[in-house]
Amino acid sequence: MEKVCLIGAGSTKYGKLEDSITDIALQASVDAIESAGIGPKEIQAGYISNVFGIADKQVHLGPVIMSNLGIPEVPSLSIESACGSGSVSFREAYANVAAGFYDVVLATGVEKVTHTGTEWTTTYFSYCSDFFYEGGAGASFPGLFASMARAYLSEFKATEEDLAMVAVKNHDNGLLNPKAHLRKKITIDDVMKSAVVASPLKLYDCCPFSDGASAVILCSEKFAKAHTKNYVEVIGSGRGGSPAALQGRDHITTIPSTRIAAQAAYKMAGISPKDVDFAEVHDCFTIAELVDTEDLGFFEKGKAVEAVREGRTKLNGDISINPSGGLKSKGHPIGATGIGQVAEVFDQLTGKAGDRTVKDAQIGLTHNFGATGASCAVHIFKSV
Amino acid sequence: MEKVCLIGAGSTKYGKLEDSITDIALQASVDAIESAGIGPKEIQAGYISNVFGIADKQVHLGPVIMSNLGIPEVPSLSIESACGSGSVSFREAYANVAAGFYDVVLATGVEKVTHTGTEWTTTYFSYCSDFFYEGGAGASFPGLFASMARAYLSEFKATEEDLAMVAVKNHDNGLLNPKAHLRKKITIDDVMKSAVVASPLKLYDCCPFSDGASAVILCSEKFAKAHTKNYVEVIGSGRGGSPAALQGRDHITTIPSTRIAAQAAYKMAGISPKDVDFAEVHDCFTIAELVDTEDLGFFEKGKAVEAVREGRTKLNGDISINPSGGLKSKGHPIGATGIGQVAEVFDQLTGKAGDRTVKDAQIGLTHNFGATGASCAVHIFKSV
């Protein structure tokens, strides 16, 4: 098995974008290619992650992107795994390079939905749930995560203010990220006073609908070494699944797929959670970050809330969680999110993260799931 | 690199189906699992191919399928590459087993669109083209393939009756396939008298919109040998791309991605086109089968039409093309088609193809593309 490395990354700003889905995918792809210091013709395959290309009237995105990059003959495909599409696509790109099928590949994630309006988006996003049991029964994602939040608050004596602290922290980080969607300082009071979306979750507990694209270049270690000294190594990769509908799970304050994926990734990397310097985790709602950081083994069950209260997950705390601002502040263009996390890790570990740099970081982790965690992938990276 | 084998295959009937997208995906998956003589718990990953899950309000199909199979913890993902989704997904499943990431995987393709009506389907399918240049400019797929047909007829002195012979042959084969969508004997006269869709293509030159699901079980050679004597080996796999929009190509009587994918697959298999006993090729329109069989190297450029006139591509002719009935008669549930082709090869090479058996066949090939061939995958299989 070949060692797989990252040599480049790029992203558009996340937010409400005017350009087409193809254009923003290309902007991120070109950024990544230029960041890697290679030419498009060195790319041997394209892995695209996207969920609702139909919103901008373009599915089958791979050939369109490859053609516009001037490499129409290069094979490509689109991968969908709901909000976890990016990390799952990254995993396929990783696997193909690790196996030696390709030497250099482009992984681009993209989503363009804000122009469709909230009703379209909420309705179509609900098709990512187990629609027979969930979306079709009226349970949209805010409602499902609200159920998880209610159970967590009850089981672990946490408060709505605790949830709010996650949002405040991630907005603080996002303020330092020029490409973040919601660059706005907020207070606990702001969160508490924001409109109730699905009790106990309020508007500021929820990530936004975002447009955006991110891209990274993966390659063999041999190729990386020949091209640059400033690259990042993929040292762990794991995937897992959970019962698709929340009602099929024994507990709803933990996500099985995260645990399965993380265990596999830690095992491959030969590290334990305490070795991780920072992590980009799937905080689609504030409650998710608490659950994630426990399932990833950073904290014991029910203890993430203490860590947040004590500021231990802040930028340059014990473990920096979501230095980019996370889905909450950086934004959540669903097909792009998992790739954007990897781009953040690349920037962090190659000295390109500016004001939000996690000091002396050597190991970064990405965690990205689909729906309420029905699918999940975890990746671990190391600076060289 | 591990040898990869097929040990099971299953399909629903193709056509207008009443059950949900999840249900038909499960029916094919369970068929494949039972055909392999294994239990669901032996499956380590699920590769789902689908394009328009939104039509039946369910994307993120993988976890729903895995959960209903009783293996929710098993990772899964969805792959989209327009009408070529199935073969591209099969390629990823193949690559992961070949690399040793998994020992046994399920590849299920599914589509459910007929309930949405022709207007929805035609509109959404056009999103698979390079929409900026094609769909958005009014060029739907019948129109694009009509351009190819017009060029072919002109360049190679072929006639509309020649195209019709492809349809007649594939309907003859489909009559022998209990799961085919259009099981109807037709004549050249029937084709010629059918409504013009996009001249020179008439209704009977076009494949139908179909619902349907197909599934296959891939595994390592070691696993296959331990479980059965009646399995099939994957000996070649190739992928390629073409300029996404037809206008970007130098010639429109050939599809570059087919040539690239086929060359890679033949090279890996160590065989030449003349070694292939039968092929399931992408005949979304009659013209496509002529172009495909030339690009695959079965006939020289412009000579496929002679082969069809002489009946050499009929069942048990020189090379049996589309013994299943092809997209034209068997049907074209777009996400399922590429997997259905593999299922047909499995049935042919394991003695399960009944009346449509290609006699003494040892090597079968599948060819499946997206849009007008912007993406393509070719796979080659051998009986053991």
Side-chain angles (χ1 to χ4, degrees):
Chain A
M1 204 66 70
E2 298 278 337
K3 275 192 187 175
V4 180
C5 301
L6 298 178
I7 55 168
S11 275
T12 64
K13 189 174 174 352
Y14 286 5
K16 183 162 178 55
L17 304 181
E18 296 303 320
D19 291 341
S20 74
I21 189 169
T22 303
D23 285 345
I24 63 175
L26 283 166
Q27 289 159 18
S29 301
V30 168
D31 269 8
I33 291 166
E34 288 181 350
S35 141
I38 62 170
K41 291 197 187 301
E42 294 181 271
I43 293 166
Q44 296 168 355
Y47 286 79
I48 314 302
S49 42
N50 173 252
V51 185
F52 292 114
I54 52 148
D56 211 29
K57 300 184 178 174
Q58 186 66 67
V59 298
H60 204 209
L61 273 160
V64 177
I65 294 171
M66 296 294 123
S67 294
N68 278 286
L69 289 174
I71 46 172
E73 69 285 358
V74 171
S76 57
L77 79 173
S78 292
I79 287 179
E80 181 266 310
S81 200
C83 301
S85 299
S87 60
V88 169
S89 178
F90 182 83
R91 159 68 182 213
E92 287 301 306
Y94 163 81
N96 275 270
V97 176
F101 285 108
Y102 306 115
D103 221 27
V104 188
V105 307
L106 168 70
T108 299
V110 63
E111 208 69 51
K112 180 90 198 293
V113 292
T114 65
H115 60 295
T116 60
T118 302
E119 188 177 332
W120 188 100
T121 319
T122 301
T123 302
Y124 278 62
F125 278 28
S126 76
Y127 299 171
C128 295
S129 69
D130 189 332
F131 194 78
F132 182 82
Y133 294 111
E134 297 181 329
S140 64
F141 285 114
L144 294 166
F145 279 93
S147 300
M148 296 167 77
R150 188 59 73 200
Y152 188 97
L153 298 192
S154 165
E155 190 172 350
F156 301 116
K157 313 292 178 231
T159 67
E160 295 184 31
E161 285 79 1
D162 293 329
L163 296 176
M165 291 182 78
V166 173
V168 170
K169 169 186 74 71
N170 288 350
H171 274 254
D172 283 347
N173 292 351
L175 268 176
L176 305 175
N177 185 348
K179 293 185 173 172
H181 184 172
L182 302 177
R183 299 188 75 195
K184 179 182 174 181
K185 173 83 184 165
I186 59 169
T187 64
I188 291 177
D189 202 43
D190 290 334
V191 183
M192 295 301 291
K193 285 181 176 163
S194 65
V196 173
V197 172
S199 177
L201 300 178
K202 291 163 287 290
L203 185 63
Y204 284 17
D205 285 296
C206 309
C207 73
F209 294 125
S210 309
D211 304 325
S214 293
V216 295
I217 307 289
L218 299 87
C219 67
S220 64
E221 186 182 38
K222 188 178 169 191
F223 188 93
K225 283 189 170 172
H227 277 71
T228 178
K229 287 183 179 171
N230 204 13
Y231 64 90
V232 169
E233 192 184 321
V234 187
I235 60 171
S237 171
R239 290 188 60 208
S242 306
L246 214 51
Q247 65 183 34
R249 303 183 196 171
D250 293 335
H251 303 283
I252 60 169
T253 55
T254 181
I255 294 177
S257 62
T258 298
R259 292 179 167 256
I260 296 166
Q263 281 167 19
Y266 288 134
K267 187 179 173 191
M268 184 185 292
I271 67 163
S272 75
K274 69 175 165 36
D275 299 314
V276 176
D277 295 310
F278 68 98
E280 290 285 310
V281 309
H282 198 89
D283 61 324
C284 47
F285 298 91
T286 49
I287 180 62
E289 182 168 310
L290 297 179
V291 171
D292 297 343
T293 53
E294 295 172 2
D295 287 335
L296 289 165
F298 300 143
F299 309 109
E300 287 178 25
K301 200 68 229 156
K303 300 294 185 190
V305 69
E306 276 177 30
V308 170
R309 281 177 201 149
E310 293 164 9
R312 289 190 272 132
T313 58
K314 286 185 177 174
L315 185 62
N316 289 307
D318 290 354
I319 179 167
S320 303
I321 299 294
N322 283 324
S324 73
L327 284 59
K328 179 68 197 77
S329 166
K330 182 188 181 188
H332 185 26
I334 57 176
T337 293
I339 300 294
Q341 292 178 330
V342 176
E344 174 70 12
V345 169
F346 179 80
D347 284 351
Q348 287 284 351
L349 295 179
T350 57
K352 297 173 182 171
D355 293 340
R356 66 186 190 282
T357 298
V358 180
K359 287 178 194 138
D360 305 320
Q362 289 199 303
I363 293 183
L365 177 149
T366 61
H367 163 265
N368 174 221
F369 62 62
T372 53
S375 60
C376 182
V378 169
H379 292 96
I380 305 175
F381 305 85
K382 192 173 182 303
S383 59
V384 293
Chain B
M1 205 66 71
E2 299 277 337
K3 276 192 187 174
V4 180
C5 301
L6 298 177
I7 55 169
S11 276
T12 63
K13 190 175 177 345
Y14 285 5
K16 183 162 178 54
L17 304 181
E18 296 303 321
D19 291 341
S20 74
I21 189 170
T22 303
D23 285 345
I24 63 176
L26 283 164
Q27 288 158 20
S29 302
V30 169
D31 268 7
I33 292 166
E34 287 180 352
S35 141
I38 63 171
K41 291 197 187 302
E42 294 181 270
I43 293 166
Q44 294 166 357
Y47 286 80
I48 314 302
S49 43
N50 174 253
V51 185
F52 292 115
I54 52 149
D56 211 30
K57 300 185 178 173
Q58 185 67 66
V59 298
H60 203 212
L61 273 160
V64 176
I65 294 170
M66 296 295 123
S67 294
N68 277 287
L69 289 174
I71 48 173
E73 69 285 358
V74 171
S76 56
L77 78 174
S78 291
I79 287 179
E80 181 267 310
S81 202
C83 302
S85 299
S87 60
V88 169
S89 177
F90 182 83
R91 159 69 181 213
E92 288 300 307
Y94 163 81
N96 274 270
V97 175
F101 285 108
Y102 305 115
D103 219 31
V104 187
V105 306
L106 168 70
T108 300
V110 62
E111 208 68 52
K112 178 92 198 293
V113 292
T114 64
H115 60 295
T116 61
T118 302
E119 188 178 331
W120 187 101
T121 319
T122 301
T123 302
Y124 279 61
F125 278 29
S126 76
Y127 299 171
C128 295
S129 70
D130 188 332
F131 194 78
F132 183 82
Y133 296 109
E134 297 182 327
S140 64
F141 285 113
L144 293 166
F145 280 93
S147 301
M148 297 167 76
R150 188 60 72 200
Y152 188 98
L153 298 191
S154 166
E155 191 172 348
F156 302 115
K157 313 289 177 235
T159 67
E160 296 185 31
E161 285 79 1
D162 293 329
L163 296 176
M165 291 183 80
V166 174
V168 169
K169 168 186 74 70
N170 288 350
H171 274 254
D172 282 348
N173 292 351
L175 268 176
L176 305 176
N177 185 349
K179 292 186 173 172
H181 184 173
L182 301 177
R183 300 189 74 195
K184 178 180 175 183
K185 173 85 184 163
I186 59 170
T187 65
I188 291 176
D189 202 43
D190 291 332
V191 182
M192 295 301 290
K193 285 183 177 163
S194 64
V196 174
V197 172
S199 175
L201 300 177
K202 291 162 287 292
L203 185 63
Y204 285 17
D205 285 297
C206 310
C207 73
F209 294 125
S210 310
D211 305 323
S214 292
V216 295
I217 307 289
L218 299 85
C219 66
S220 64
E221 186 182 37
K222 188 177 168 191
F223 187 93
K225 283 189 169 171
H227 278 72
T228 177
K229 287 183 181 172
N230 204 13
Y231 63 92
V232 169
E233 193 183 321
V234 187
I235 60 171
S237 170
R239 291 189 58 209
S242 307
L246 214 51
Q247 63 182 35
R249 304 184 195 170
D250 293 335
H251 303 283
I252 61 169
T253 55
T254 179
I255 294 177
S257 62
T258 297
R259 291 179 168 255
I260 297 167
Q263 280 165 19
Y266 288 134
K267 187 177 173 192
M268 183 184 293
I271 67 164
S272 75
K274 66 175 168 36
D275 299 314
V276 175
D277 296 309
F278 69 97
E280 289 286 310
V281 310
H282 198 89
D283 60 324
C284 47
F285 298 92
T286 48
I287 179 61
E289 183 168 309
L290 297 179
V291 171
D292 297 343
T293 52
E294 294 171 2
D295 287 334
L296 289 165
F298 300 142
F299 309 109
E300 286 177 26
K301 199 69 231 156
K303 299 293 185 192
V305 69
E306 276 179 30
V308 170
R309 281 177 201 148
E310 293 164 9
R312 289 191 272 132
T313 59
K314 285 185 178 176
L315 185 63
N316 289 308
D318 290 353
I319 178 167
S320 304
I321 300 293
N322 283 324
S324 72
L327 284 60
K328 178 68 198 80
S329 165
K330 181 188 181 188
H332 185 25
I334 57 176
T337 292
I339 300 293
Q341 291 178 329
V342 176
E344 175 70 12
V345 170
F346 179 81
D347 285 351
Q348 287 284 351
L349 294 180
T350 57
K352 297 173 182 171
D355 292 340
R356 67 187 189 283
T357 297
V358 180
K359 285 177 197 141
D360 304 320
Q362 289 199 303
I363 294 184
L365 177 149
T366 61
H367 162 265
N368 174 221
F369 62 62
T372 53
S375 60
C376 181
V378 169
H379 292 97
I380 306 175
F381 305 84
K382 190 173 183 302
S383 59
V384 294

